[in-house]
Amino acid sequence: MPLKVAIVQQACSQQHQESLKHSIQGIREAAGQGAKLILLPELHTGPYFCQTENSQCFDLAEPIPGPSTEVFGTLAAELGVVLVISLFERRAPGIYHNTAVVLETDGHIAGRYRKMHIPDDPNFYEKFYFTPGDLGFTPIETSVGHLGILICWDQWYPEAARLMALAGAELLLYPSAIGWDPRDDEVEKSRQQEAWITVQRGHAIANGLPLLASNRISIEPDPSQQTAGIQFWGTSFIAGPQGELLAIGPMDEAVVLVAEIDLQRTEAIRRIWPYLRDRRIDAYENLTQRYID
């Protein structure tokens, strides 16, 4: 039976309640269109605060369970959907994670994934805030399937997608917060955006799995005013197990993307493109090295 899935693409405000409202509205719209699995963008209940290093931003973190899992858990139970939300997790004093939480149709926490690859680049100073994940690449079992959840910077690493697939993931999901420097020229912007879409479609193809990639929209200013901020480029998409685009969002509009996927297609695709069968696991030992000198 086909599974109807959805992505909420939204702007995120400095005001927590406004961002929360956008998320809830999008979830309700997706559920109204019959979606049973709904993915939100990375850190969707507030601004992308990692443009600067500011210790006061740690006050934005929350425990799990906590306020966000309570709100969205109640909503998941009301609507009978599986939600994948994203939040700034306060694990302990001085230990914080960038975490995705899966909420089941009855509202309980089915599992969580802590972002493994942490960037440290201009406007994306995440190493200051986030402790690298320690839960590994483990799919989360839900009523709609085994979800291989990875977060933003993880999406550039084929190893992460492969390990999720090898552990039994039936879908790959990537909550993201990615955008341009508004000062970049149009050619550079296009290269970056196309790379983002292409690499993730490649993960779908290489593993024979459907894939959902969410992103936020709008320009978020740099609090330090040292840069032009980040213009998040939207373009959230849903792809099938051959990388085919089933739905794709605009660059600059809030939208709910809905598509039907057939989890049984993975079996059929892997029979004709048996990448996992033909892997030379006897010859891959050097993958555990940083670089082969």
Side-chain angles (χ1 to χ4, degrees):
M1 174 180 287
L3 172 66
K4 191 168 281 191
V5 301
I7 290 172
V8 176
Q9 176 173 291
Q10 67 173 84
C12 300
S13 167
Q14 293 285 337
Q15 303 301 318
H16 171 74
Q17 289 302 319
E18 184 176 350
S19 297
L20 194 64
K21 180 180 73 173
H22 291 326
S23 295
I24 292 171
Q25 287 176 341
I27 291 167
R28 289 192 179 279
E29 181 179 339
Q33 295 185 48
K36 296 300 181 185
L37 171 64
I38 303 170
L39 174 66
L40 281 295
E42 182 183 20
L43 302 172
H44 56 90
T45 63
Y48 181 75
F49 53 86
C50 305
Q51 292 195 60
T52 60
E53 296 182 355
N54 181 349
S55 61
Q56 292 183 347
C57 289
F58 288 108
D59 291 339
L60 299 171
E62 60 179 285
I64 300 173
S68 288
T69 56
E70 177 67 26
V71 168
F72 289 105
T74 299
L75 187 61
E78 175 194 338
L79 300 174
V81 298
V82 173
L83 295 180
V84 181
I85 66 170
S86 174
L87 53 83
F88 186 16
E89 178 188 2
R90 181 188 186 276
R91 183 176 181 182
I95 301 178
Y96 305 83
H97 296 281
N98 186 332
T99 302
V101 181
V102 180
L103 298 161
E104 254 294 358
T105 55
D106 61 359
H108 85 268
I109 296 173
R112 75 184 81 177
Y113 168 79
R114 292 175 175 145
K115 188 173 184 175
M116 294 283 281
H117 301 93
I118 310 296
D120 188 57
D121 303 299
N123 292 93
F124 295 88
Y125 297 111
E126 295 195 12
K127 279 186 167 64
F128 181 78
Y129 295 102
F130 306 132
T131 301
D134 56 359
L135 299 177
F137 301 106
T138 305
I140 296 171
E141 184 176 356
T142 74
S143 58
V144 296
H146 291 79
L147 308 184
I149 300 170
L150 299 157
I151 300 174
C152 204
W153 193 233
D154 292 329
Q155 64 213 358
W156 300 97
Y157 295 87
E159 300 93 336
R162 176 70 87 209
L163 287 169
M164 283 292 190
L166 293 177
E170 295 175 276
L171 302 94
L172 296 173
L173 297 94
Y174 291 91
S176 308
I178 188 168
W180 302 294
D181 182 329
R183 299 167 296 186
D184 287 340
D185 62 39
E186 294 306 312
V187 174
E188 176 59 20
K189 289 179 178 178
S190 178
R191 283 194 293 258
Q192 292 180 15
Q193 185 184 48
E194 286 298 317
W196 180 73
I197 295 170
T198 301
V199 73
Q200 291 178 96
R201 291 177 70 186
H203 299 331
I205 296 166
N207 295 290
L209 294 175
L211 183 150
L212 284 69
S214 63
N215 194 19
R216 57 172 77 198
I217 58 167
S218 78
I219 294 178
E220 294 188 24
D222 175 358
S224 72
Q225 301 183 335
Q226 299 299 304
T227 73
I230 303 174
Q231 181 177 0
F232 293 98
W233 64 50
T235 325
S236 305
F237 66 91
I238 302 169
Q242 291 170 294
E244 68 274 24
L245 289 174
L246 305 177
I248 187 165
M251 291 187 291
D252 56 0
E253 296 178 23
V255 68
V256 172
L257 301 177
V258 179
E260 286 191 347
I261 59 174
D262 181 0
L263 297 181
Q264 301 306 311
R265 281 198 62 223
T266 290
E267 175 99 20
I269 295 303
R270 287 181 178 176
R271 288 179 180 182
I272 59 173
W273 285 350
Y275 301 130
L276 300 188
R277 181 197 68 188
D278 295 340
R279 293 176 64 243
R280 287 296 306 276
I281 58 174
D282 59 313
Y284 294 160
E285 64 273 7
N286 284 337
L287 284 177
T288 60
Q289 297 187 43
R290 181 73 62 189
Y291 186 77
I292 303 171
D293 295 305

